[in-house]
Amino acid sequence: MEPMQLHILAVGRNAEIMTVMHRLLNAPDNWTGVTVTTDEAAKSAFEKEAFDIVLLCAGISPEEETALTSWFKQRSPAIIVKRHYGGGSGLLKNEILYALENR
Amino acid sequence: MAKTVLHKAATRGHADHGWLNSHHTFSFANYYNPERMRFGALRVLNDDIVAGGRGFDAHPHDNMEIISIPLKGALEHKDNLGNTVLTKAGEIQVMSTGTGVFHSEYNANTDIPAHFLQIWLFPNQLNVTPRYDQVTVDIESKPNHLQQLISPDPNGEGTWLYQDAWFHMGRFDKGSETSYDVKKQGNGVYFFVIKGKFIINGQELDNSDGYGVEDASHFTIVSQEEDARLLVIDVPLFS
């Protein structure tokens, strides 16, 4: 079961993990993903493209999470901003499905 | 009346990849059940059987406390922290993945399956320096007793992790009775029957059943079979 067409932005500090995230986010036929490692790159991508979900990944501190969530929500109140735990594929799909169902 | 969840073994998610036969108590990978996202800080409880010589290639994790408990056979663990370790039944491994870890887990034997529990907890601190630990656990010589495997205390019995969580495991004779008291006020307790049958505070549990209790502090555990084995996971509850 794959969710609807989704465009996903993921920001995290661990470049190696974000490389894996990029592959995972672009693996399903109906998902496309952009991965970045800095807040500036995340904000730039967010202003250029329409995303459905933003994932906050490895290395994002609670303070950065609060600030980034606020920034994204100010520009797009309906955007789902969610911390992604786990790095690998085990939680990715069902965490996204759950977020979509409980937006 | 205590607030409880009962996860019968047959209702778990199941994935058979040939080399990996896995049962998921909670939503994981392609198994999605919105009613089974976690029990408090307990997010993943996978019951995995890995074919001889096969395993999980190197892959990343972050900000999860990952516990592996081999039940039969042995795993060869390698990670980018520099660890290459064999973990066999009677031992447990804990990884605090923090800012990020890449690891692989392979069945160390080519001729027999490896059976192990893979358990993930949300941590109580984000972005910690990753660590790996492994300890020996002897439940064989001390029957009818819940032995502590893991606690939040680096100086406690067993090993430790970044969460206010306690793990206990025991092997029980038929008819034996023991008790368990929750370790921290407000925590819930999740029981997983590794083998056999138990009655816990009046609830009958069969092989591979899970039973979570959110608002009880004392438990009476009665084994219904010889050589029955139970895992007890005491975790913070949060929505």
Side-chain angles (χ1 to χ4, degrees):
Chain A
M1 177 176 59
E2 302 290 355
M4 64 183 89
Q5 188 77 36
L6 291 176
H7 193 39
I8 303 163
L9 173 62
V11 53
R13 307 297 185 224
N14 187 316
E16 285 183 287
I17 287 182
M18 296 316 290
T19 299
V20 175
M21 284 294 292
H22 187 271
R23 175 172 55 79
L24 294 172
L25 290 174
N26 288 282
D29 288 341
N30 50 357
W31 289 10
T32 51
V34 174
T35 56
V36 296
T37 57
T38 67
D39 295 358
E40 293 71 26
K43 291 173 181 177
S44 176
F46 195 81
E47 288 181 324
K48 290 175 187 164
E49 303 179 42
F51 292 97
D52 302 291
I53 298 179
V54 177
L55 299 177
L56 307 179
C57 304
I60 302 291
S61 71
E63 295 76 20
E64 291 167 329
E65 178 179 1
T66 301
L68 283 168
T69 300
S70 174
W71 192 90
F72 292 125
K73 290 279 188 185
Q74 279 180 357
R75 280 150 185 82
S76 179
I79 190 72
I80 296 171
V81 184
K82 182 169 178 52
R83 180 173 284 278
H84 171 63
Y85 291 86
S89 61
L91 303 185
L92 187 63
K93 184 189 289 184
N94 52 59
E95 296 284 350
I96 286 175
L97 287 170
Y98 190 78
L100 289 168
E101 288 182 6
N102 294 276
R103 67 166 74 206
Chain B
M1 187 69 163
K3 187 176 180 185
T4 64
V5 290
L6 177 62
H7 297 143
K8 295 296 290 180
T11 67
R12 295 178 295 172
H14 180 225
D16 187 349
H17 301 287
W19 66 273
L20 169 66
N21 190 351
S22 182
H23 287 87
H24 313 303
T25 294
F26 300 100
S27 294
F28 189 86
N30 288 320
Y31 168 60
Y32 174 62
N33 180 344
E35 301 300 317
R36 294 198 186 180
M37 295 303 289
R38 62 177 166 183
F39 178 79
L42 172 61
R43 177 61 186 84
V44 171
L45 200 175
N46 289 346
D47 186 354
D48 290 344
I49 297 175
V50 178
R54 303 295 298 275
F56 302 87
D57 290 331
H59 60 281
H61 296 284
D62 69 89
N63 288 317
M64 275 285 171
E65 302 298 297
I66 298 181
I67 300 98
S68 296
I69 305 177
L71 302 175
K72 288 180 183 171
L75 297 171
E76 185 185 67
H77 165 95
K78 290 183 182 178
D79 63 45
N80 65 345
L81 306 176
N83 299 298
T84 299
V85 189
L86 199 66
T87 313
K88 58 186 183 299
E91 298 171 327
I92 59 168
Q93 59 167 258
V94 172
M95 273 197 306
S96 298
T97 62
T99 53
V101 173
F102 280 71
H103 76 122
S104 64
E105 304 290 338
Y106 264 74
N107 185 339
N109 297 296
T110 57
D111 53 344
I112 57 170
H115 183 193
F116 75 108
L117 301 178
Q118 181 186 171
I119 299 165
W120 299 11
L121 301 187
F122 292 107
N124 59 10
Q125 294 180 51
L126 292 174
N127 304 321
V128 299
T129 300
R131 68 178 270 273
Y132 176 89
D133 195 16
Q134 179 172 317
V135 292
T136 298
V137 176
D138 179 16
I139 65 166
E140 303 302 327
S141 66
K142 302 174 195 168
N144 309 317
H145 158 77
L146 281 170
Q147 181 172 345
Q148 180 171 294
L149 313 180
I150 301 171
S151 78
D153 181 0
N155 299 312
E157 184 181 6
T159 184
W160 63 280
L161 43 60
Y162 288 100
Q163 186 49 275
D164 293 324
W166 287 257
F167 283 55
H168 290 74
M169 189 162 66
R171 177 175 77 81
F172 297 90
D173 299 327
K174 184 176 182 179
S176 68
E177 180 175 320
T178 190
S179 63
Y180 182 81
D181 292 307
V182 70
K183 300 302 177 212
K184 183 179 180 184
Q185 188 173 10
N187 271 16
V189 181
Y190 195 89
F191 299 92
F192 182 77
V193 178
I194 295 171
K195 182 185 175 197
K197 297 182 177 182
F198 289 88
I199 297 176
I200 300 176
N201 282 10
Q203 175 65 55
E204 293 186 15
L205 298 174
D206 296 316
N207 198 51
S208 302
D209 285 354
Y211 181 52
V213 183
E214 295 192 359
D215 57 357
S217 58
H218 180 78
F219 300 91
T220 300
I221 299 162
V222 183
S223 170
Q224 301 295 293
E225 284 189 359
E226 197 64 29
D227 195 34
R229 290 156 190 257
L230 183 70
L231 177 66
V232 182
I233 306 172
D234 186 327
V235 286
L237 297 169
F238 48 80
S239 59

